Amino acid sequence: MDILGVRELRASAEAKEHFVSRYRWTSLLTGRRPDTTHVWLIDNDEYWRNQVNATTIPQYFKENGYISIGMGKIFHPGAPSGNDDVAHSWSPEGLPYYHSPVEHQYGPNNHTRMWWAFEGFEDNQLPDGQIADNALNVLEQLRTNETEHGEERPFFLAVGFHKPHVPFYAPKKYFDMYPPQPKISLPVNPNPPSNLPYVAWTTWASLFNWDDIQAMFKGREDCITNYTIAYKEECRMPNDDIQGMRRGYYAAMTYTDAQVGKVMSKLTELGYADDTIVVLWGDHGWQLGEHGEFGKFTNFEDATRVPFLLHVPGVTESGMHSDALVELIDIYPTLTDLAGLPQPELCPTHSHNISVCVEGISAAPLLKDPKQQWKKGAFSQYARPNSGIFYIPDHKYPNPPRESVMGYSIRTDKWRFTEWVRFNRTLAIANWTDVWGTELYDHSTPTTNFNDENVNRAYDKGTEGVIAQLKDMLVAGWRDALPPNYSVDD
């Protein structure tokens, strides 16, 4: 979960709250979609600047006079982001990019337990508490620089919390806020959607990095490789462990919520709340046993719908909401719009030689009229065979497989439509005639717990017309789904 704070010394406007489809951090921070950046996985050879030297959000604010400061997990650490993109995105005269010194000890590299309540731990004995403390110190230093040294530059502050990313670690007091493990509710829809194509399923193999998950499935390793049983009840996690994982997730989320609260309170304490724009976002959802899944590696609603909440002084104090379809890729132009900076133009089809352009649009107009006509669809995509079933009946992945099949998904006001097609990774081109699987879910009467994706309607009689229309939209892409007053000149 991440906070971007933008202190704007001039007048600023509008904000909204909504929950939306996701693109991963590269697309969000560069304003370009995956087939433009060529970043589809977290891989050492998928640093976007190797394909397109796109200006990032913090870089754009830095180049427009802001001091740009970052900490925690904003970019994915390591080679896939050029080591937090420190050479480009952050102000060299600002504070050094901060990572918690215990990040590796209590992060994904700790493969002992998938969830754990740390008895007697204070918040700042774990990474996110240390990141929150660092954010408070930075804000105090910024205020000191203003009052004692006359610093007049506005700031861009990015605070990246790790949780509720796996493993689900938090001080015990956050676990104690929830019922004991046996009383935690189980998913009401533990089975895969009926008529689900094999390619859409993920075996959540990444969880086998943890010793306790491996122990659960000792002797049942074929649950990862055998497509005939991978999604069946015999390969499902035991109920008591599902309850433990869900409780761990809730505790980790509440722990992060407390850290967000500390940062927001400090903004108020220092007098920044009245002229600081804040956006709270997460880069993906997480399935906690719904559809028998545990993870993020699908195109289900549960994996693609995420927080996108804005606070703008003078606009959002009484709260507001819009049902318009927005995407995380809209954060870039929304922030520049609200801050009164020159608005990046929409990217043409070929934008690799353009340093500043975006493939999203500002959501700020929705703050004036939340019910106005907006996007016709929100787009996401996920590659296979990553975390999927490697052996698909009647289909064969090439060798090496890499991102050889792409699941493209569009969410409209009524439907989620996903098509899995062969994909040319080198050229970033989909072969829409080589279809490995199709999904269609009816969201016309939304339910809780993502129950509206329990039945894949793609093979129902009478849906042929809907599928043809949605496929046309999917193939046409985001440019054709923009509101009527937007256009892209190619």
Side-chain angles (χ1 to χ4, degrees):
M1 192 66 66
D2 306 278
I3 303 174
L4 300 181
V6 180
R7 187 177 184 227
E8 177 23 41
L9 298 184
R10 295 159 288 183
S12 57
E14 296 117 329
K16 66 168 286 190
E17 298 180 9
H18 194 47
F19 289 85
V20 297
S21 289
R22 57 104 171 150
Y23 291 98
R24 292 303 303 273
W25 49 268
T26 297
S27 288
L28 183 154
L29 291 164
T30 64
R32 317 282 179 106
R33 297 175 190 257
D35 289 353
T36 300
T37 64
H38 286 217
V39 175
W40 302 286
L41 301 176
I42 300 170
D43 210 333
N44 288 348
D45 70 345
E46 292 192 6
Y47 178 35
W48 77 90
R49 293 193 188 275
N50 296 333
Q51 289 291 334
V52 52
N53 193 26
T55 299
T56 66
I57 299 175
Q59 181 184 359
Y60 189 77
F61 276 86
K62 180 186 72 171
E63 293 174 354
N64 280 275
Y66 283 66
I67 183 168
S68 179
I69 302 170
M71 64 193 71
K73 191 176 181 182
I74 297 298
F75 295 96
H76 197 283
S81 66
N83 295 306
D84 302 303
D85 202 44
V86 292
H88 304 276
S89 287
W90 312 106
S91 298
E93 72 279 19
L95 297 173
Y97 196 95
Y98 176 82
H99 283 291
S100 161
V102 299
E103 180 178 307
H104 293 289
Q105 182 179 354
Y106 297 109
N109 291 327
N110 184 329
H111 290 161
T112 54
R113 294 295 302 267
M114 182 74 177
W115 59 90
W116 191 255
F118 284 85
E119 181 82 44
F121 267 46
E122 299 298 330
D123 288 8
N124 60 9
Q125 289 180 262
L126 292 174
D128 284 342
Q130 295 178 351
I131 292 167
D133 283 355
N134 186 71
L136 306 188
N137 293 335
V138 167
L139 288 169
E140 290 176 346
Q141 184 62 54
L142 289 168
R143 178 55 84 195
T144 298
N145 291 346
E146 292 176 10
T147 57
E148 297 183 8
H149 307 293
E151 173 65 68
E152 296 182 352
R153 280 188 303 171
F155 63 77
F156 177 95
L157 178 63
V159 183
F161 296 116
H162 293 266
K163 301 308 169 193
H165 195 286
V166 292
F168 304 140
Y169 291 171
K172 184 176 180 296
K173 63 183 178 181
Y174 295 105
F175 282 77
D176 292 342
M177 293 179 183
Y178 293 94
Q181 181 170 318
K183 294 186 177 181
I184 295 293
S185 62
L186 290 164
V188 296
N189 53 343
N191 300 311
S194 59
N195 304 317
L196 183 72
Y198 287 111
V199 69
W201 180 256
T202 176
T203 60
W204 40 280
S206 63
L207 300 192
F208 277 63
N209 291 331
W210 277 269
D211 297 342
D212 50 351
I213 305 296
Q214 287 184 20
M216 290 180 207
F217 287 88
K218 186 174 180 60
R220 293 191 294 165
E221 288 77 10
D222 54 351
C223 287
I224 298 299
T225 58
N226 188 338
Y227 70 85
T228 64
I229 65 170
Y231 59 92
K232 293 185 177 180
E233 188 171 355
E234 60 194 272
C235 286
R236 193 174 298 160
M237 189 179 293
N239 281 348
D240 59 337
D241 291 305
I242 295 175
Q243 291 168 310
M245 180 178 289
R246 289 165 75 90
R247 186 170 185 253
Y249 183 94
Y250 302 154
M253 186 70 261
T254 305
Y255 170 52
T256 295
D257 184 69
Q259 311 319 304
V260 172
K262 293 175 185 177
V263 177
M264 297 300 292
S265 295
K266 181 61 71 171
L267 287 173
T268 300
E269 175 189 328
L270 295 175
Y272 282 139
D274 292 338
D275 59 2
T276 301
I277 301 162
V278 180
V279 58
L280 177 70
W281 55 275
D283 67 335
H284 57 76
W286 187 268
Q287 293 150 145
L288 287 166
E290 296 86 4
H291 299 134
E293 294 278 23
F294 296 89
K296 59 189 177 183
F297 305 115
T298 71
N299 275 315
F300 291 135
E301 185 94 350
D302 204 355
T304 59
R305 192 169 181 172
V306 299
F308 177 174
L309 293 91
L310 277 167
H311 163 77
V312 179
V315 179
T316 58
E317 279 77 3
S318 60
M320 54 175 52
H321 173 84
S322 173
D323 289 324
L325 290 165
V326 295
E327 304 167 279
L328 290 186
I329 206 163
D330 298 330
I331 286 180
Y332 195 148
T334 300
L335 287 179
T336 57
D337 189 6
L338 293 173
L341 298 182
Q343 194 69 339
E345 295 184 356
L346 286 172
C347 296
T349 303
H350 302 289
S351 63
H352 288 74
N353 295 321
I354 301 175
S355 61
V356 180
C357 70
V358 293
E359 295 179 346
I361 60 175
S362 172
L366 289 169
L367 305 169
K368 295 179 179 177
D369 181 7
K371 296 183 179 180
Q372 67 178 285
Q373 186 177 357
W374 206 242
K375 292 183 179 183
K376 293 183 286 186
F379 297 81
S380 57
Q381 61 190 88
Y382 197 80
R384 287 285 187 257
N386 183 45
S387 294
I389 301 172
F390 197 83
Y391 300 102
I392 305 293
D394 303 321
H395 294 285
K396 186 177 181 180
Y397 288 111
N399 187 22
R402 295 304 300 259
E403 299 94 324
S404 54
V405 172
M406 188 65 68
Y408 289 96
S409 189
I410 182 172
R411 177 65 154 86
T412 69
D413 58 348
K414 182 176 180 179
W415 301 98
R416 174 172 294 281
F417 175 73
T418 303
E419 192 134 85
W420 299 85
V421 298
R422 275 301 303 269
F423 184 71
N424 185 315
R425 180 182 187 271
T426 303
L427 301 176
I429 294 176
N431 181 353
W432 294 100
T433 63
D434 191 350
V435 178
W436 285 42
T438 302
E439 299 173 79
L440 178 67
Y441 302 107
D442 186 349
H443 285 270
S444 58
T445 55
T447 64
T448 59
N449 302 310
F450 304 98
N451 271 338
D452 29 11
E453 290 191 348
N454 290 344
V455 179
N456 179 13
R457 304 289 184 185
Y459 305 101
D460 289 3
K461 290 183 179 180
T463 60
E464 296 86 356
V466 171
I467 289 174
Q469 178 186 11
L470 292 170
K471 181 162 184 174
D472 285 346
M473 293 176 65
L474 196 60
V475 174
W478 65 271
R479 291 175 174 84
D480 280 19
L482 295 175
N485 55 324
Y486 284 87
S487 63
V488 181
D489 297 325
D490 287 337

